Amino acid sequence: DIAQIEIAGQTRDFIIRIETGTINRFLYVIAALKGPDGTLDIPDASAWNKRLIYQFKGGVGIGYRQGKTKAASIAKKRFEQLKSGYAVAYSTANQTSNHYDIWLSEDTALRVKRQFTALYGKPDFTIGIGGSGGAIQQYLIGQNGSSLLDGGIAQYAYPDMLSQTSYVF
């Protein structure tokens, strides 16, 4: 049984196309509704509403890790948005529990967005979402004047580093 959803007055199967891979040595996930004519190699963007959500994640990590991800976790977390036609992109470079190099995380996010654009076309806008370390990435990317995000949703604020490290030590 495949769930059915309505898009632009048409009933379609609710199937999400998920692409995973590595960019800039980090794992990435791109998820979007599968269009009726899409294949594994060439997606059909007809079910996409031209809006991209870029997922940021937080956490506290010392050093550097490539990270790990389950492709289904992004689809599960952003289920309602995917159902509404949004696409979602994420990279383990954009999780502060893996590293704190904001320049690297911004560069990787730009590369992931470039991969997304090559597959689906240019989004009308890209919205960031994430809390804690995911919020600070959005603040700094916006401050740096990057073309990555058109807006951001900082779900909860990031505490200053001095308070964080004092508690840990």
Side-chain angles (χ1 to χ4, degrees):
D1 289 338
I2 296 176
Q4 301 286 303
I5 58 172
E6 190 173 311
I7 299 172
Q10 293 182 338
T11 302
R12 295 187 179 185
D13 291 342
F14 182 41
I15 299 172
I16 300 168
R17 179 188 184 275
I18 297 177
E19 175 177 305
T20 62
T22 57
I23 291 180
N24 219 12
R25 298 181 308 161
F26 291 95
L27 307 170
Y28 76 91
V29 176
I30 293 173
L33 284 174
K34 180 188 174 297
D37 297 325
T39 65
L40 289 175
D41 294 334
I42 303 169
D44 172 5
S46 65
W48 175 47
N49 67 11
K50 305 287 187 236
R51 298 172 183 142
L52 176 63
I53 296 171
Y54 201 98
Q55 180 71 56
F56 293 90
K57 294 186 179 182
V60 177
I62 305 298
Y64 168 87
R65 288 186 290 279
Q66 184 178 14
K68 60 183 179 179
T69 189
K70 294 179 183 173
S73 68
I74 294 299
K76 190 175 185 180
K77 185 173 195 126
R78 296 284 155 232
F79 179 82
E80 289 300 321
Q81 290 84 11
L82 287 162
K83 196 166 116 178
S84 298
Y86 288 83
V88 181
Y90 163 72
S91 170
T92 56
N94 302 110
Q95 183 168 341
T96 54
S97 63
N98 293 329
H99 71 93
Y100 272 101
D101 185 339
I102 300 301
W103 293 110
L104 179 60
S105 91
E106 180 177 358
D107 178 60
T108 306
L110 284 165
R111 292 171 190 248
V112 171
K113 186 175 178 182
R114 190 176 322 137
Q115 171 70 6
F116 175 84
T117 301
L119 293 168
Y120 290 93
K122 186 176 186 221
D124 289 341
F125 60 82
T126 303
I127 299 295
I129 189 165
S132 189
I136 198 167
Q137 289 178 77
Q138 293 176 77
Y139 300 150
L140 292 172
I141 287 169
Q143 175 183 297
N144 293 342
S146 169
S147 63
L148 176 67
L149 300 175
D150 297 298
I153 302 170
Q155 293 174 305
Y156 42 93
Y158 181 87
D160 65 281
M161 276 308 271
L162 187 57
S163 298
Q164 284 286 88
T165 55
S166 296
Y167 176 76
V168 170
F169 293 124

